[in-house]
């Protein structure tokens, strides 16, 4: 299981409440900084998720940890009749709602405040569940994954995009320098929450990735598990089926 890393080390709040507070604090800056820090590659990774799910023709999709709705909006071309973007942070969702409205997708996409570890949906509700850069923020990873499996229909698809750590030299060393020093510095300069991007870097470095994460998905009961490393291994797309 991953080491417990929290945004605010001196806070008495649990991880879940700290994560909510952090994303509320950085919601206005998040999209712009995300593009800068990832050099725009996160857009390409999301397109690959959309391409994968488009072939599955899901009618209902739940996008967990939707944040400002980037993935939920990107999923519209899958042809899904209903896409629900769920997130703990009202601040992030407000930004997302404005984006959905600008793109005139209100009839398809609904943004909902909710807890990934206690999903407000019945069993077997969705054809697909997606999570982009969100599972490492779960307070209890296995509980969150169990909830995802509960709300997926039998045969439904899970697609997770998450950070990972390159294993080959010199990319491994370069990644460590970038995430430990450069990324937090950029965040401190351009974000009003100085702790947020240090946390995002630290949480990525200790989160189980590759086969370790595959093993957790298998333990929960998912089948057909694959992980697809992205861009020299700095991220991975995991696909699985209920």
């Amino acid at each position: 299981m991953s080491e417990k890393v929290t945004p605010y080390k001196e806070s008495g709040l649990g991880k879940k409440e700290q994560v909510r507070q952090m994303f509320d604090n950085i919601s206005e800056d998040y999209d712009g900084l995300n593009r800068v820090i990832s050099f725009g590659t996160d857009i390409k990774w999301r397109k690959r998720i959309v391409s994968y799910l488009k072939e599955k023709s899901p009618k209902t999709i739940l996008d967990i940890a939707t944040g400002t709705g980037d993935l939920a909006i990107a999923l519209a071309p899958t042809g899904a009749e209903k896409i629900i973007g769920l997130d703990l942070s009202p601040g992030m969702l407000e930004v997302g709602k404005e984006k959905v409205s600008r793109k005139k997708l209100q009839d398809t996409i609904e943004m909902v405040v909710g807890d990934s570890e206690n999903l407000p949906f019945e069993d077997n509700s969705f054809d697909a569940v997606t999570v982009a850069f969100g599972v490492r923020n779960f307070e209890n990873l296995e509980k969150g994954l169990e909830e995802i499996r509960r709300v997926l229909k039998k045969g439904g698809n899970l697609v997770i995009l998450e950070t990972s750590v390159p294993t080959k030299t010199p990319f491994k060393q370069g990644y460590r320098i970038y995430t430990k020093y450069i990324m937090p510095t950029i965040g401190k300069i351009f974000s009003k929450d100085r702790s947020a991007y240090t946390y995002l870097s630290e949480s990525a470095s200790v989160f189980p990735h590759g086969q370790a994460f595959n093993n957790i998905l298998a333990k929960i009961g998912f089948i057909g598990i694959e992980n697809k490393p992205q861009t020299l291994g700095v991220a991975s797309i995991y696909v699985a089926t209920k």
Side-chain angles (χ1 to χ4, degrees), residues 69-80:
D70 274 350
L71 183 53
I73 290 167
L75 288 165
T78 62

Side-chain angles (χ1 to χ4, degrees), residues 30-240:
Y30 183 77
D31 282 346
L33 272 172
N34 218 23
R35 298 296 97 80
V36 171
I37 286 170
S38 73
F39 302 105
T41 50
D42 60 305
I43 297 172
K44 179 170 65 177
W45 300 334
R46 288 185 177 89
K47 285 181 178 178
R48 288 175 180 164
I49 294 175
V50 174
S51 178
Y52 174 82
L53 281 181
K54 199 169 185 178
E55 294 180 0
K56 308 295 182 182
S57 302
K59 292 184 179 179
T60 53
I61 303 175
L62 172 62
D63 182 42
I64 292 175
T66 196
T68 62
D70 274 350
L71 183 53
I73 290 167
L75 288 165
T78 62
E81 296 170 2
K82 188 67 178 179
I83 300 169
I84 294 180
L86 177 138
D87 202 277
L88 270 176
S89 166
M92 295 284 274
L93 287 172
E94 283 305 311
V95 176
K97 287 176 183 176
E98 292 178 8
K99 289 159 67 173
V100 169
S101 179
R102 286 199 301 270
K103 292 181 179 294
K104 296 180 170 51
L105 291 169
Q106 306 95 311
D107 292 342
T108 303
I109 301 174
E110 180 184 1
M111 305 294 266
V112 175
V113 176
D115 181 354
S116 59
E117 295 164 40
N118 186 22
L119 295 172
F121 308 109
E122 295 181 0
D123 296 0
N124 309 304
S125 294
F126 297 95
D127 297 308
V129 175
T130 58
V131 194
F133 304 116
V135 290
R136 76 178 188 272
N137 297 321
F138 289 4
E139 187 159 32
N140 184 322
L141 176 60
E142 291 191 7
K143 185 177 180 183
L145 294 173
E146 285 169 354
E147 275 290 272
I148 289 173
R149 188 173 182 278
R150 178 183 67 79
V151 302
L152 262 179
K153 295 178 182 177
K154 184 175 176 58
N157 300 106
L158 168 63
V159 189
I160 292 173
L161 169 62
E162 191 51 87
T163 54
S164 56
V165 179
T167 56
K168 295 182 179 179
T169 302
F171 308 117
K172 183 176 181 179
Q173 290 77 6
Y175 176 84
R176 186 178 295 123
I177 292 169
Y178 181 73
T179 56
K180 188 171 183 178
Y181 300 107
I182 299 174
M183 190 176 106
T185 300
I186 294 172
K188 287 176 182 178
I189 293 171
F190 295 103
S191 172
K192 63 184 179 182
D193 189 322
R194 297 176 65 83
S195 300
Y197 287 85
T198 298
Y199 160 75
L200 291 171
S201 171
E202 290 178 353
S203 62
S205 69
V206 301
F207 190 78
H209 61 276
Q211 189 58 48
F213 190 65
N214 289 355
N215 292 342
I216 296 170
L217 290 171
K219 178 183 176 183
I220 300 302
F222 287 99
I223 60 174
I225 301 162
E226 296 180 66
N227 70 288
K228 307 169 187 289
Q230 305 292 312
T231 315
L232 305 173
V234 301
S236 283
I237 294 174
Y238 302 87
V239 298

